[in-house]
Amino acid sequence: MKPQTSSPTSNITPIKRNSPGVPTSFEIFHSCGHTSTRDLSDRSADQRAGYARWLATRQCTDCWRADHQADAASTAKWLAAKRADEQAAAADWATQFDMPPLEGPEKILGWAERARHQLVTRAYTALVTEGFSVKCRVLSESALDYGSSSAPATPPPTTPPH
């Protein structure tokens, strides 16, 4: 195989991957206090020293990974608590406004209840509270105009009126 050249049509000068006199391995003193030797030969010669300085401002790989795993655990805990709060709010809302039970695989029912709660409450906010006029056809009843005061019914609000 022919060596790669600076131009696809030129056979004169092959591209030099490593310039002479520019080191390829650097001793990195990380911000966490650890030291590592990094081979930066995959970077161009004019970028190696700058990249080595940047690495020195970061934690070593082991410290970064340990911090990241701890963050992942706390993020998972936070997300589980948030989902439980959303699930409780959706269940209370569905009970308060006598929403029909959802059907489907047990695995997705929690998500479906939260999604229905978010969708209906946001639609109510956009259509009624903020005053947008949209005609909607309710299959079990006649057509309703949510934007006018003559509408016989509105979707259930997110909170009961005071």
Side-chain angles (χ1 to χ4, degrees):
M1 182 174 176
K2 234 164 93 173
Q4 187 178 8
T5 59
S6 59
S7 170
T9 58
S10 171
N11 293 353
I12 300 170
T13 310
I15 295 175
K16 293 183 180 178
R17 296 283 181 211
N18 294 315
S19 299
V22 178
T24 58
S25 291
F26 288 82
E27 188 77 15
I28 310 293
F29 298 95
H30 294 281
S31 63
C32 60
H34 294 113
T35 304
S36 66
T37 302
R38 295 286 300 261
D39 178 19
L40 302 179
S41 61
D42 59 337
R43 304 222 172 244
S44 64
D46 62 334
Q47 294 178 347
R48 290 181 197 148
Y51 187 65
R53 282 190 303 273
W54 180 80
L55 284 173
T57 65
R58 306 286 183 241
Q59 292 179 327
C60 69
T61 305
D62 294 333
C63 290
W64 179 86
R65 188 172 290 125
D67 284 351
H68 221 59
Q69 287 173 346
D71 287 346
S74 66
T75 299
K77 184 178 175 182
W78 170 82
L79 187 59
K82 181 180 179 198
R83 291 290 184 250
D85 291 344
E86 289 175 349
Q87 191 66 38
D92 292 345
W93 174 84
T95 303
Q96 180 182 1
F97 295 107
D98 197 27
M99 300 302 286
L102 296 173
E103 298 176 2
E106 189 68 31
K107 188 175 183 178
I108 65 166
L109 286 180
W111 169 83
E113 287 177 0
R114 289 190 314 271
R116 175 176 66 179
H117 174 249
Q118 291 171 356
L119 178 68
V120 173
T121 55
R122 288 178 186 164
Y124 178 81
T125 300
L127 297 173
V128 178
T129 306
E130 295 176 1
F132 290 101
S133 177
V134 175
K135 290 198 176 183
C136 177
R137 182 151 206 63
V138 177
L139 298 178
S140 62
E141 302 192 9
S142 63
L144 302 174
D145 184 3
Y146 289 121
S148 70
S149 60
S150 63
T154 60
T158 58
T159 57
H162 293 102

